[in-house]
Amino acid sequence: MSYSRFVALFACLAVCGQMKAQGGVISFVKKVGTFIDSMSVRGVDRRYIEAPERPWQLLLKGNLSQSVVSMKSSGELLGERYDAHSKLKTVPSQYVGVWAGYRGYGLGYTVNIGGDKGSNFTIGATGGRYGVHVRFHSFDNSNPNLNLSSSQITEQDREELAKARLVDPVHVNTVIADGYYMFNGKKFSYAAAYDQSVIQKRSAGSLMVGAMYNYTHINYAADTNADLIYLMKGIGRVKLWQGSVGVGYAYNWVPARGLLINALGMPMLTFVNKLKVYSYETNIPEMMKEPIFWDDTVSYEEWDEWYYATAHITPKGEQSFNSGLSIGFDARLSLTYNVGRYFFNIYGQFNNIRYNHHDTKGYLNDWFVNTSIGLRL
């Protein structure tokens, strides 16, 4: 065989092998698609649930969210009782992004365009009978609304405290994960309300079970926050873990063709309710004995310079507590409208997490509203 024929044969075999490999990949992708198609309608009553003919989804998504951290404490200040309430309220943050997938399975990306400038990352998986969502949110706040009530504090002092900004901000990190399982997957679809991979044609409801996990870390342990730590009875960091399970009900109401309204409600029993506090010693009591601390003739600039050069904290220790069983409630609402190849959706969720330790207590309120405009391909 000549050299040229050998090269031609080798090239032919290479091309054939490449075509075979590509064909294998294409065949595998088609098999996966067929499997997902069958899963989306397996065991369902097609009078109630319909899988759209066009399986691909392209979505433009928007998210509006806000977090509020409230910390309260009481004690004595120079022999007088005081009540301190610090509230960190983020500016509602806005995220926009895109998502693409097949029958509800896909990838998306969002960016922050305004608000608290924190980070927000979500993971979700939704099927006809189940839904799993995990949300990671972190933010900093340098302007807590501090309300201090004491006979030692003048009205002018309270006004200045309300406008004060922290040199070292309060850092907040949260993880909220929830999962649901619906028993009436034959007529009721969770996916129809929350990822629109199928369409609910008739009204139906389902008994459900669910679980939720919350983790919150609030950290303001810094020398420049010694006064805030002192008012919070020496607590500079708080970690919370909560695990809950519940039984509830979800209902898909179809008042008109293409329109779906979903309501989900579930009482929850919190069986993991752990609180870990980190305590710090401060030199604020010693600083309060200095004449400059109470001298009204000193400017705020001079006072701040003295304070930041003098104040310091020292780690004292950490303690963990279990608050025992408690009852809560989980709720979610969704509205979806399907018209031809297009669909529109808006849904919201609210979470409340509380802690209590002696004379110090607080809570985290975290809510979000998701909107999306989608096209089926």
Side-chain angles (χ1 to χ4, degrees):
M1 180 183 294
S2 67
Y3 176 77
S4 60
R5 288 183 179 180
F6 177 81
V7 172
L9 176 61
F10 180 81
C12 181
L13 291 173
V15 170
C16 290
Q18 184 178 9
M19 292 178 63
K20 184 176 180 181
Q22 291 177 345
V25 172
I26 294 173
S27 176
F28 175 75
V29 171
K30 287 183 177 179
K31 288 180 179 179
V32 172
T34 301
F35 175 75
I36 295 175
D37 290 342
S38 63
M39 285 291 292
S40 63
V41 295
R42 180 179 296 175
V44 304
D45 188 332
R46 299 199 182 188
R47 297 173 301 169
Y48 287 80
I49 300 171
E50 172 190 353
E53 292 182 2
R54 296 181 174 89
W56 291 95
Q57 297 167 287
L58 180 63
L59 284 76
L60 176 64
K61 301 176 71 70
N63 174 276
L64 180 67
S65 61
Q66 186 179 43
S67 297
V68 177
V69 176
S70 175
M71 298 181 292
K72 294 182 179 180
S73 184
S74 60
E76 286 192 357
L77 183 64
L78 297 180
E80 297 286 341
R81 182 174 176 80
Y82 74 85
D83 293 297
H85 182 196
S86 177
K87 180 177 286 188
L88 312 172
K89 190 174 184 179
T90 68
V91 176
S93 59
Q94 303 93 44
Y95 292 80
V96 296
V98 294
W99 186 92
Y102 186 91
R103 297 290 187 205
Y105 297 86
L107 298 172
Y109 180 73
T110 61
V111 295
N112 181 289
I113 60 172
D116 63 26
K117 300 300 182 182
S119 61
N120 190 41
F121 179 67
T122 59
I123 303 173
T126 306
R129 292 178 178 267
Y130 66 87
V132 178
H133 298 87
V134 183
R135 180 170 179 253
F136 303 85
H137 187 207
S138 64
F139 65 91
D140 295 341
N141 190 298
S142 300
N143 188 213
N145 183 3
L146 180 60
N147 183 8
L148 186 60
S149 175
S150 171
S151 60
Q152 301 284 343
I153 304 299
T154 66
E155 186 63 32
Q156 182 182 0
D157 291 332
R158 276 191 283 270
E159 292 177 359
E160 292 298 328
L161 283 171
K163 295 185 294 184
R165 294 186 63 84
L166 302 178
V167 174
D168 291 289
V170 179
H171 308 285
V172 181
N173 295 284
T174 66
V175 180
I176 300 175
D178 55 58
Y180 309 98
Y181 180 81
M182 313 295 168
F183 290 99
N184 186 21
K186 183 175 181 179
K187 296 181 178 180
F188 173 90
S189 174
Y190 184 88
Y194 293 100
D195 77 2
Q196 293 74 54
S197 57
V198 297
I199 298 173
Q200 185 86 38
K201 298 167 63 177
R202 296 185 181 184
S203 301
S206 176
L207 185 68
M208 57 184 286
V209 294
M212 179 175 288
Y213 168 79
N214 296 318
Y215 167 77
T216 302
H217 183 194
I218 305 169
N219 185 5
Y220 48 97
D223 287 336
T224 55
N225 294 332
D227 51 354
L228 178 59
I229 293 172
Y230 177 75
L231 293 174
M232 292 298 152
K233 306 300 290 289
I235 296 176
R237 289 173 61 196
V238 176
K239 289 184 178 182
L240 302 166
W241 295 266
Q242 290 186 329
S244 308
V245 294
V247 179
Y249 192 79
Y251 191 76
N252 279 345
W253 179 39
V254 185
R257 181 180 177 85
L259 179 62
L260 171 62
I261 300 173
N262 171 272
L264 183 157
M266 181 166 51
M268 303 199 77
L269 175 66
T270 299
F271 62 94
V272 175
N273 204 351
K274 184 179 178 181
L275 169 68
K276 189 173 186 178
V277 297
Y278 297 79
S279 300
Y280 297 81
E281 295 280 2
T282 75
N283 65 334
I284 295 298
E286 290 76 16
M287 292 176 65
M288 288 193 295
K289 298 176 183 178
E290 298 291 333
I292 190 176
F293 194 92
W294 304 101
D295 192 346
D296 294 334
T297 64
V298 177
S299 68
Y300 281 100
E301 290 76 12
E302 292 176 319
W303 196 94
D304 286 347
E305 184 179 355
W306 168 79
Y307 171 82
Y308 294 134
T310 308
H312 67 265
I313 64 173
T314 304
K316 182 180 178 181
E318 57 189 60
Q319 291 179 293
S320 297
F321 307 89
N322 289 299
S323 301
L325 299 177
S326 63
I327 301 295
F329 194 79
D330 183 27
R332 184 179 290 199
L333 291 172
S334 170
L335 185 148
T336 304
Y337 183 63
N338 294 280
V339 53
R341 298 170 59 187
Y342 301 91
F343 57 88
F344 308 87
N345 174 260
I346 178 170
Y347 77 86
Q349 185 171 344
F350 175 82
N351 296 283
N352 175 264
I353 304 166
R354 295 181 175 273
Y355 70 89
N356 194 333
H357 172 53
H358 300 314
D359 293 326
T360 302
K361 59 184 177 179
Y363 64 81
L364 167 72
N365 284 342
D366 188 275
W367 63 263
F368 67 86
V369 176
N370 286 335
T371 59
S372 61
I373 300 175
L375 170 66
R376 293 188 174 96
L377 302 171

